[in-house]
């Protein structure tokens, strides 16, 4: 089961752009097999990051994972062409990788649809207000 669909990519890219990224044979249409391969590669990358913390593939698919899959798949399509990568696509890819890394480390959850059912350990996270005054969830519970 894929985390994203061709329709998800079509919502992010113009028809002409998606044709340009996939149509190696000059047919003038989107090559669905190349789109599917880019999505599969993106999903394998997602699973690679998350398999240490979660059971993969993730089902049901949280919206944030769908978004990450789309960003990675579009990056994969640009990468295969060897053309100049638009800065926004590179930045979205880098943000997606940072997000996946934080999820894998348990620093970020996947929201309401987190299949692990456990948000990150916020009890140990504190905010330093200055000097040695650190506010944590435990200290706030006393008020």
């Amino acid at each position: 089961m894929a985390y994203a669909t061709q329709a998800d990519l079509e919502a992010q890219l113009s028809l002409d752009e998606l044709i340009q990224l996939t149509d190696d044979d000059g047919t003038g249409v989107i090559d669905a097999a190349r789109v599917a391969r880019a999505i599969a590669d993106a999903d394998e990358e997602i699973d690679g990051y998350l398999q240490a913390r979660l059971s993969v593939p993730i089902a049901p698919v949280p919206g944030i994972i769908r978004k990450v899959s789309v960003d990675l798949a579009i990056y994969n399509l640009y990468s295969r062409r060897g053309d100049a990568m638009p800065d926004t696509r590179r930045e979205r890819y880098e943000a997606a990788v940072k997000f996946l890394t934080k999820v894998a480390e348990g620093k970020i959850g996947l929201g309401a649809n987190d299949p692990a059912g456990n948000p990150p350990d916020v009890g140990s996270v504190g905010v330093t207000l200055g000097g040695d005054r650190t506010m944590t969830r435990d200290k706030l519970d006393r008020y």
Side-chain angles (χ1 to χ4, degrees), residues 54-126:
L54 303 169
S55 177
V56 295
I58 300 168
V61 180
I64 188 67
I65 293 298
R66 181 200 51 76
K67 178 189 174 300
V68 167
S69 179
V70 169
D71 288 341
L72 296 179
I74 291 172
Y75 180 86
N76 291 342
L77 289 173
Y78 271 101
S79 295
R80 66 176 291 282
R81 298 297 287 180
D83 298 337
M85 178 76 63
D87 289 339
T88 56
R89 293 299 167 191
R90 183 179 316 283
E91 290 165 4
R92 289 179 75 134
Y93 172 81
E94 291 169 356
V97 169
K98 285 180 186 177
F99 171 80
L100 292 170
T101 300
K102 288 182 179 184
V103 172
E105 293 170 346
K107 294 180 179 178
I108 297 177
L110 297 178
N113 292 330
D114 189 336
N118 53 359
D121 181 13
V122 294
S124 64
V125 176

Side-chain angles (χ1 to χ4, degrees), residues 127-143:
V127 177
T128 302
L129 301 174
D132 62 349
R133 298 179 346 169
T134 301
M135 296 305 295
T136 65
R137 180 172 285 206
D138 293 335
K139 286 183 180 178
L140 289 173
D141 285 343
R142 290 186 236 155
Y143 292 96

